[in-house]
Amino acid sequence: MKTVKDYIRTIVDFPHEGIMFRDVTTLFADPRGMRLAIDQMLAPYVGMQIDKVVGLEARGFILGGAIAHQLSIGFVPIRKKGKLPGTVISEEYKLEYGEAIVEIHDDAIQPGEKILVVDDLLATGGTAAAGIKLIERLGGEIVGCAFIVDLPELGGRAVLENLSYDIHALCQFEGT
């Protein structure tokens, strides 16, 4: 029987030399793989109160929408700067080379709502930490963070766990 990891393609030297890109589009394209991923991402949170799923741009939208549908709850996107209409709040964070900004609508999360954060990949944890800060600024309470892939050598899990967040990843890949 195939595991989630078996559905993920590795592309060498993309987008730069020395990077091993973990491509989850092959997982998404396979109905068994996609079902397996969604079911396994949900498993640790069965029976917990979750009010909304927040997906991080961009593949987190695919996962977040499917998970929110399974739970019959709302979905909220966290997007790159300038992509959301209406009033937003922003959070800046550091990238390997430079900085980036993510945003959320200022009315997307109500105080006290229980939030599950999802994305495809956990690398340095910068995007996830910035997204969590936005959610918490709106009064949301993080119940967990679910990812398909963890790249442990890049330290994202440690960053989020040091901030006392529950992290669930379906598989790990060594290297970058």
Side-chain angles (χ1 to χ4, degrees):
M1 178 158 179
K2 287 177 92 171
T3 68
V4 165
K5 191 172 185 175
D6 295 328
Y7 289 97
I8 299 170
R9 165 175 58 188
T10 298
I11 300 174
V12 179
D13 294 330
F14 181 83
H16 305 290
E17 187 174 333
I19 302 293
M20 303 289 282
F21 186 83
R22 309 309 177 170
D23 181 16
V24 296
T25 63
T26 50
L27 170 72
F28 294 164
D30 187 286
R32 287 186 199 103
M34 183 69 166
R35 169 60 66 191
L36 184 63
I38 297 303
D39 289 349
Q40 288 183 7
M41 289 180 86
L42 275 170
Y45 307 105
V46 170
M48 292 180 71
Q49 179 188 342
I50 300 173
D51 298 305
K52 290 184 180 156
V53 175
V54 170
L56 304 174
E57 187 160 333
R59 289 170 297 274
F61 299 170
I62 297 165
L63 298 164
I67 291 169
H69 173 76
Q70 285 295 105
L71 295 172
S72 297
I73 60 175
F75 169 78
V76 175
I78 289 185
R79 303 224 44 201
K80 294 175 184 171
K81 182 180 175 149
K83 300 291 186 178
L84 289 172
T87 307
V88 298
I89 61 170
S90 303
E91 186 69 35
E92 189 172 315
Y93 64 101
K94 296 199 180 302
L95 298 169
E96 187 176 354
Y97 300 103
E99 297 175 342
I101 298 173
V102 290
E103 297 178 328
I104 190 172
H105 281 124
D106 67 352
D107 60 355
I109 306 289
Q110 301 306 308
E113 285 187 318
K114 309 291 189 218
I115 308 298
L116 176 62
V117 176
V118 300
D119 203 1
D120 67 320
L121 185 125
L122 177 59
T124 65
T127 305
I132 288 167
K133 286 179 185 175
L134 290 173
I135 294 163
E136 290 180 337
R137 282 172 49 197
L138 294 175
E141 299 174 17
I142 308 300
V143 298
C145 303
F147 303 91
I148 294 174
V149 175
D150 179 16
L151 301 177
E153 290 177 35
L154 296 179
R157 177 183 284 273
V159 166
L160 297 179
E161 287 178 340
N162 286 339
L163 296 171
S164 298
Y165 298 111
D166 175 58
I167 308 304
H168 175 63
L170 304 187
C171 64
Q172 294 182 351
F173 285 93
E174 298 306 315
T176 58

